[in-house]
Structures are given as C-alpha cells and as structure tokens.
Amino acid sequence: MEVRFLSGVLDMNRQLIILNLFFVAIVVVLGYLFFSPSPAFIPRQNTDFITRSEDTFLLRGKPYRFTGANNYYVIYKPSGMVDAVFATAAKNNLSVIRTWGFVDIGKQDGSESIDGKGKKEAVYFHYWDGRRPVLNEGDTGLKKLDYVLYQAHEKGIRVVLPLVNNWKDFGGMDQYVRWRGGKYHDAFYTDETIKGWYKNYVKTLLNRVNTYTGIAYKDDPTILSWELANEPRCAGSGDYPASESCTPDTIASWADEMSSYIKSIDPNHLVGVGDEGFYCIAGATDTTEDCSEGDSLKYGSLPQIDYLSFHLYPDKWDKSEAWGTSWIKTHLQGAKIIDKPVMLGEFGHSVPEGRTELYKGWLELFTRDGGDGLFVWMLADKKTDNELYPDYDGYTVYCPSDECNMLKQGTKLLAKAPAEVITDVLPAYDRWEAASAEATLVEGKERGLTGYYFAGRSLGGVPVSRIDPQIDFSWDAAAPDRTIPSDNFSARWTGYIVPKQSQKYTFYTRHDDGVRFWINGKLLIDAWKAGEVVENKATFSLKKGKKVAIILEYFEKEASASLQLLWSSKSTKKEVIPSEQLLPF
C-alpha cells in the first residue's frame, strides 16, 4: 500500500508539472500575440526570389512571366485603399505592382519643395534638415512603404520599386538639386555630393527592417526589382534645365555606378534602369531615336542591370497606334540582342474607344514574341468613401471591366508561353553538332534575318517587315518594297548567326551606301556615310553551335543601291552568309 501510495503521489506531481508547463506556454504565446509590436506577424522563411538566367526571369528555376499594373497612391493613402488595390490585383491575376519608393520634399514642414507642398497627405520619406537629407522612418514615412510590402506579401503580389523620379512629382531628382543649390537637372547624375545622398537613401532603404514583417528589404522576395529611377532623362519637369554637356553616356555612367552599388549591398534582387526605352541612332531625326532622350540598349547592356526597360504612350508622344506596335517589336528584338529579359514598365492610351482591343493586340504581340513582364498604367480602386478613385490622367483601369478581364487573360497567356519559347527556339542551338542533326532541326523552320524597311534614311517611322533569307541585294535603281521609295530609304536586319565551327571569322559588308554592323552588342563595322560601292571587314571569334545576335543597318541616299553580308574563316571560303546559318528573332 505504501509503495502504491508513493507511486501515485509521484504520478500526480508529474501531471502537475506538465500542467504548469502547459499554462506557461499558453501565457508566453498569448503574451507574444497581445503585447508584441502591432500587427503581430511571424516572418515567413521565403527564399523564392525572382532571378535571371541570360534572357529569362526564373522562379524556382522555371521561367517566370507576368502581367502587372502601376499604382502610385498606395504609398500614402489610408490602409483600406491599399488593401483594396492589392485585393483587386490578386483577384485579377495582376501578380506584380509597380509603385514609387520615394517621396522627396524640401524642409520637414514642406517648404522649399519642388512638388508644391511636398507632402502627400502628410506622408514624406526624405526631407532636408538644414544640413543634409534625412529619412522619415516613422508613421508618416517609411512605415507606409512597410505596409505596402506587407500587404503585397499577404496577397501573393510582388513589387517593383523605382528609387527616384525624373519628374518633379513626389520630389525626385530636382529636389536633390535644390537641396544642393545646383543649377541643372543632370547634376543629379554627376555631382558627387548628390550621388552620395542618393546612395545613402538607397543603403538605408535596402537595410531597413520592415516593421510589419520583421524582414529586411534586401532579404524580402516580395520585392521583384529595384529600378534606379522612373524615366531618367537629361531634362526633367521642375525648375532646373538640362546642361549642354548631358548625353545618354552621362546617364549610362551614373546607372553603371548605382547598379553596382545596389548589388554590393543586395545581391538578391533584380535591378533595372527604369527608362522609357529611347534609342540613340546616329542620323536619326525622331526624338525617340535621336540620342536626345536616352540610349536604352546601352543602359540595358550594363553588367549589373538585369533587364531592358521601356514605356509606351503613343498618343502622349504624338505617335500612332501602329507606331506603338512597332515600338514593342523593336524592344523585344533589342532584348534578344543584349541577351536579357525585357520589361514594359508602363503602357497606356488615353482614348477609351477601342482601347481594349488595342491593349489586347499589344499583349498578344508581347506574349508571342518573348516579352517577360508588363505593367498597365494604372490600376485604381475605391476610396475610403466607397467611390472610385478618379481617372485623373485618362489611363486608369478599373475592375471589373473589359480592359481588366483582358489583362487577367493576358496573365494566363504569359504563363503558358515560356515552355513554347524554350522548346521551339532556345535548345536547338546547343544541339547543332553535325550536318545531320542540323538538317533535322532546320526542317520546317524559317531561316534568314528579320528585315525592317523604312521610308527615309533615319530608320524612323513605321517599317515594312519581312524575313530575308540572305543579305545579298542589288536593287540598283529599284525599291526594296512597293511601299518604300527607291532613294532615301533605310533598313535594319536582326537575328542570330549560328556557326558550324569554332573559329575566328572575318565578316565583310559590301555596300552602297552606309552600313553599321553589330555582333552581340559590339559595333564591328561603322561606315555610316554615302558613297560608291565599298567593302569593310572585321573579325569575331564564334563557337560551334553557339548563337550570337547580330544587327545590320543600312541606308541608301540616291542612285544605285546594293548590300551584301559575307564571311570567311579557316574552313569557310568567302561567301554570302547562307540562310541555314541565320535565324530571325
């Protein structure tokens, strides 16, 4: 009996100990939930960053493509309006939101702000304290951005964040210039003190720990990409003009420095320039191509930049809808040339009639020809009074609507596209090891280069396009197409060369009049001048079965016109490059 009684006492003591431990655990958990900083959130371990392999975005090793939307007001509006935007985006398969990562003002009271009163409904991120720029990390500052990322995380949405604005809205570059007491907009790119201020802002943001999630920005996969700026140009819209010394090279040098700086702190995230996609083509007269507004291919080719950026507003730029289609094609080709993904960061058309069909055509083209991600300008939802947010600029998309449904379906199209692109185009190059294998792979596939023919010598306007099997033309006094004049026309061919042997090749252009020739973004032949028939040459080493992107540009002034693209190597006699070694984009 005594032994059994003692055993029972021990059992009861053990049960009491276990019961006490259980109550302690309950108290600890409840204490964490009710007394920890609000809102209570246990950070999720998420390693699913979007990465890049050559010209493809990847998620968990598989191609990642998306349809998204811009929205600027989520960084300063009440949380209910933020929630509504992200809920609508998630419901309609808009998987990425692009919003501002900046609100730059003058002094803390809003005085000396470039953008009117500066603050956005009392919200500001960056201000002048009398000696230097300082970050507002409180409830009216970066905590608002914390909430955007938290809400995006909760809805399964990713975010793209430009870090400064080219325009005076929300402060931007001209606010930095005002802080500095500068005279020119482009001092933002060259003044060492201003560059130091920008770097400090970036560094603070990347290292910031989100007050809602407990995750540092640089460690948060919710962020898809940083963009160095929104639409960087030599000129802005504030009080400061562009200096005479600013060129696209000025911006490229700044972008190279800043993208390297970001990657030194945050190697996890993609980085883009955020530019509008303007080109720099010698002799061009259109502002979208004449070097006056940018050099998209140069920016996209920078080593720490992960994708080609461009925007599209045909009516805003006094262009036609057909021009907009050509603009998309040009940038899809440009991305292939530099072997990087392409992101259409903003697109819109302010005329409502026919807009759904126009967007549908653009989206189908973007999907079919290998685009990676695009953002409509802009998605809006309801205000706190349950009324829709106003369509201030004429571009706003609301859901439900025909436009919203079209974008929703576009996400499904993009999701299906990567396998087709990879299967039909990319692997074939790595398997060209013998003539027999080549014959099997070539069967049923069109060979040659994509040619674009323009009326005028500037490579501008809406082109006539076709596949040319070889570059072997002797037009003499004839025209290359019935819609193109026989004199004063230009052309651009794009595609790949795939050699059969690993050798050093000599490339020749025999032409009347001007020619430029690139391989993998490197300008090998630059003979952009009128004259009689002349031959130029340059060498480039190629690897067997390895694709290389090429661009050939040509203009004809008057009288006879001719052009040939030839090659030779140790094992290849001098010949016009055969069509079986050429593949269009």
Side-chain angles (χ1 to χ4, degrees), residues 169-180:
D169 308 276
F170 295 78
M173 296 179 186
D174 277 0
Q175 189 64 65
Y176 282 78
V177 176
R178 176 168 288 184
W179 289 336
R180 178 64 169 146

Side-chain angles (χ1 to χ4, degrees), residues 49 149 205-210 213-221 223 226 266 268-269:
F49 288 96
L149 295 176
L205 207 61
L206 300 185
N207 288 308
R208 178 175 176 78
V209 176
N210 191 311
T213 67
I215 303 173
Y217 281 26
K218 65 183 180 182
D219 298 325
D220 189 355
I223 299 169
W226 305 107
D266 176 9
N268 293 321
H269 288 105

Side-chain angles (χ1 to χ4, degrees), residues 286-520:
D286 191 279
T287 55
T288 63
E289 299 179 330
D290 67 359
C291 308
S292 64
E293 303 294 358
D295 190 345
S296 188
L297 287 182
K298 177 170 284 188
Y299 304 159
S301 298
L302 295 171
Q304 299 303 327
I305 294 299
D306 290 297
Y307 53 88
L308 185 71
S309 302
F310 75 109
H311 295 177
L312 174 60
Y313 294 103
D315 56 332
K316 182 179 177 181
W317 297 341
D318 296 321
K319 302 294 184 183
S320 67
E321 295 176 3
W323 180 93
T325 300
S326 176
W327 188 248
I328 294 173
K329 288 181 179 179
T330 300
H331 287 83
L332 295 176
Q333 294 158 8
K336 290 182 173 69
I337 290 165
I338 63 174
D339 202 26
K340 290 184 180 179
V342 59
M343 193 182 291
L344 177 50
E346 298 179 17
F347 73 91
H349 199 274
S350 61
V351 180
E353 292 77 16
R355 189 162 63 184
T356 300
E357 287 303 310
L358 176 65
Y359 285 4
K360 181 181 178 182
W362 287 349
L363 181 58
E364 288 175 349
L365 168 63
F366 192 82
T367 301
R368 184 185 69 242
D369 287 6
D372 298 280
L374 74 170
F375 301 82
V376 69
W377 185 278
M378 59 168 255
L379 176 69
D381 209 274
K382 292 182 179 179
K383 302 183 295 178
T384 52
D385 60 5
N386 215 34
E387 296 292 324
L388 288 174
Y389 188 82
D391 182 13
Y392 287 115
D393 55 17
Y395 296 100
T396 306
V397 171
Y398 302 102
C399 298
S401 67
D402 290 342
E403 291 169 354
C404 183
N405 290 337
M406 181 274 302
L407 292 168
K408 182 177 182 178
Q409 293 304 312
T411 299
K412 296 179 181 179
L413 288 175
L414 281 165
K416 295 177 181 178
E420 297 173 4
V421 171
I422 291 173
T423 300
D424 293 345
V425 179
L426 300 181
Y429 298 115
D430 297 328
R431 296 201 296 266
W432 277 23
E433 296 181 354
S436 59
E438 175 195 339
T440 301
L441 289 164
V442 168
E443 185 177 357
K445 293 182 181 291
E446 192 167 18
R447 295 293 167 180
L449 299 175
T450 305
Y452 296 89
Y453 295 84
F454 303 84
R457 286 183 279 162
S458 66
L459 296 161
V462 179
V464 174
S465 63
R466 68 189 189 202
I467 303 298
D468 289 322
Q470 293 177 288
I471 307 301
D472 186 13
F473 302 108
S474 181
W475 295 291
D476 292 326
D481 185 86
R482 61 183 177 82
T483 63
I484 301 295
S486 58
D487 290 327
N488 291 302
F489 71 85
S490 54
R492 178 187 293 123
W493 291 268
T494 62
Y496 298 112
I497 291 178
V498 187
K500 295 181 179 180
Q501 303 296 331
S502 295
Q503 292 177 351
K504 180 180 286 187
Y505 286 78
T506 301
F507 291 88
Y508 309 84
T509 56
R510 188 177 297 148
H511 50 93
D512 173 6
D513 288 292
V515 157
R516 289 189 292 246
F517 179 59
W518 290 262
I519 295 184
N520 272 3

